[in-house]
Amino acid sequence: MAPARTGAWEDRNQENALAKIVVVTSGKGGVGKTTTSASFATGLAMRGHKTAVIDFDVGLRNLDLIMGCERRVVFDFVNVIQGEATLRQALIKDKQHENLYILAASQTRDKDALTADGVGRVLEEMSKEFEYIVCDSPAGIEKGAHLAMYHADEALVVTNPEVSSVRDSDRVLGLLSSKTRKAESGDGRVKEHLVLTRYNPARVAKGEMLSVDDVKEILAIPLLGVVPESQAVLTSSNAGTPVIVDKASDAGLAYDDVVARFLGEERAHRFLTAEKKGLLGRLFGP
C-alpha cells in the first residue's frame, strides 16, 4: 500500500508526470561513480528539482557515507523490495536540501536480494513522486549493474583518463545499447553522457594520461563534463558532504557545470588545460 502523500511526501505539480531515471555507471570500480551520483543528485535538488538517489551496491553501501546520513539508515532498498518496509519509511530526507532524498543499499544482504521485478516496482512508485531518480550503479557488468541501468532514460558514463577505465566504459556502452528496457522495447535508446573524472592536464601533457580528445574518440559519446583530480573530493567525502556543495573547489565547480549542462544550459568546458606557472613556479616548482 502506498504511503499517504502529505507534508514532505506531497504530489508532484505536473499531473501524471513521471520521473526521469538517470543511471551513473562505469565498468571499472574506483572511478568516482558514487561521488558523481551524490554531487549530481544534490545539484539537481539545489536547482529546485525533487530528486532521489538510490544506492544499488548491495553489500558495500557507500552512498550514505558520502551523503552524510549513514547514522540515519533504518530501512534500505532491499527492505522495500522484500516488503519489510514502505518506501516512505526507507527514504531519508537530506538535512541540507529539502528536495533531496536518499535510498541506501543493504550492507548485510547478498547481491541477489535485488530482483528485476522488485526494482521495477520501487522505481515505478518513486516515479510518481520525484522529478529525477539517480541510480548509483555498482562496479562491473554483473546483475547489480544491469538492474541499475535497465530502467534508465539517460546515463552518466563515468571514466578516468586511463586505458583500462575507458575500455571498461566501452563495454558498458554496449550494455546500454542492448540490455535496457528501452532497447528491448524498441523505444529509442538510453541517452548517454560522458563524465571524465580525475583529470590532470599536466599529466596528460607528459603522456601519463589519455587526453579528453582521446577518450571522446574512443567512446564516441557527448562530453558532459570534466572533473579535475582534486583533494577536495576526498575532503568532502570524509566530511559526508557532496563536493558540489564546496563552490570554492575546482571539483565542486566542475560538478555544478555537469548539472547545468545536463539541464540544458550552455557552459564552456573548464579544467582542460594546465595552469601556467609564474616565474617562481617555473624556477622552484616540480
Side-chain angles (χ1 to χ4, degrees), residues 28 30 53 114 118 149 156 202 218 227 238 244 280 285:
K28 194 175 189 300
V53 55
L114 292 184
M149 71 173 62
L156 305 190
I218 296 168
V227 181
N238 288 338
I244 194 170
L280 292 178

Side-chain angles (χ1 to χ4, degrees), residues 24 32-39 55 57 62-64 66 136-137:
V24 180
K33 284 189 299 296
T34 300
T35 295
T36 298
S37 296
S39 282
D55 190 346
D57 204 353
N62 291 318
L63 179 66
D64 53 303
I66 291 180
D136 181 25
S137 174

